[in-house]
Amino acid sequence: AKYNPTWEQKWREQLLALVRDYANPSEEDRSFPVVRHKDWFLGFSWASGPYFVDGKGRNQESTSEAVNAYYAVYTYGKALEDRQVEWARDLKDLGRIWTAMEAHGAETYWQVRDGSEVYNSADFPDHVIGILWEHSATHTIWFGKHDYQVSGIQLLPFTPASETYLKPDWVNQHFQEFQRDCQTDTMCS
């Protein structure tokens, strides 16, 4: 959208359908629910609907996916705002607030800090949650339980939005455990 406006114009309808699928801001849109994954009380998105796996409820695994999904809404809106598209500023601002909400959720519920008000850090010595369930938190993910995998799904990809939720205090604390775990696993190196 930013670097090839002709391409964006050609595919705008499809791009907006993708945005509306997960970040629809309008109650008047009959095709998609309003920000369908967002939990407005907790301030982050759930990856799954209200189904239960072993009684654990909804879950979210990749905070980086959620942060970057809403960051994409922001950047798309920003690219269109620079070209004076009428509704672009609203889209950019919504993307910015939703990115901030996801970043806050990642910091609060997935990054285990010493002195956390949510978790006992002794229960999570690697300082990271893999899957947050509605009724529990685990240090595993759907496709693996290696520590570097659990860390990686919360960290990657690195984009400008990463700075909103990967604060130096947690990265410095967590990186030591990640590095140690990675050095002892041949699949990581």
Side-chain angles (χ1 to χ4, degrees), residues 3-184:
Y3 298 108
N4 191 340
T6 304
W7 179 89
E8 187 278 327
Q9 272 298 126
K10 178 181 177 184
W11 296 102
R12 181 176 289 174
E13 185 177 338
Q14 290 86 347
L15 291 167
L16 288 174
L18 178 63
V19 168
R20 289 168 44 228
D21 183 34
Y22 71 91
N24 178 29
S26 175
E27 291 181 353
E28 296 173 14
D29 186 336
R30 299 211 181 271
S31 298
F32 298 97
V34 174
V35 196
R36 70 182 169 105
H37 296 288
K38 185 67 76 181
D39 184 320
W40 296 103
F41 179 74
L42 293 173
F44 62 82
S45 297
W46 293 103
S48 63
Y51 74 93
F52 287 83
V53 175
D54 298 329
K56 295 178 185 175
R58 299 176 290 181
N59 73 83
Q60 171 65 303
E61 178 181 53
S62 178
T63 58
S64 62
E65 287 177 10
V67 168
N68 281 289
Y70 293 114
Y71 179 65
V73 173
Y74 162 77
T75 58
Y76 185 47
K78 175 68 174 131
L80 297 181
E81 181 184 45
D82 291 346
R83 296 194 340 246
Q84 279 91 44
V85 173
E86 180 182 341
W87 41 265
R89 182 174 184 182
D90 290 340
L91 186 65
K92 179 193 80 171
D93 289 346
L94 289 170
R96 184 170 49 194
I97 189 71
W98 293 333
T99 300
M101 291 174 72
E102 290 296 329
H104 182 266
E107 284 186 85
T108 304
Y109 299 106
W110 280 266
Q111 298 172 10
V112 181
R113 289 173 165 80
D114 291 335
S116 168
E117 293 182 16
V118 178
Y119 303 109
N120 178 350
S121 60
D123 293 335
F124 295 96
D126 290 295
H127 296 97
V128 63
I129 301 301
I131 301 176
L132 179 67
W133 298 87
E134 197 168 11
H135 303 295
S136 68
T138 60
H139 184 73
T140 60
I141 54 175
W142 290 108
F143 61 87
K145 61 181 178 180
H146 297 289
D147 294 327
Y148 69 89
Q149 293 171 322
V150 175
S151 296
I153 201 162
Q154 305 308 338
L155 300 171
L156 300 172
F158 294 111
T159 66
S162 301
E163 292 183 25
T164 65
Y165 72 103
L166 297 177
K167 301 294 196 255
D169 69 314
W170 182 77
V171 171
N172 289 332
Q173 180 183 33
H174 175 66
F175 183 74
Q176 295 171 20
E177 287 93 11
F178 172 77
Q179 187 175 33
R180 182 191 67 239
D181 296 337
C182 192
Q183 288 172 344
T184 61

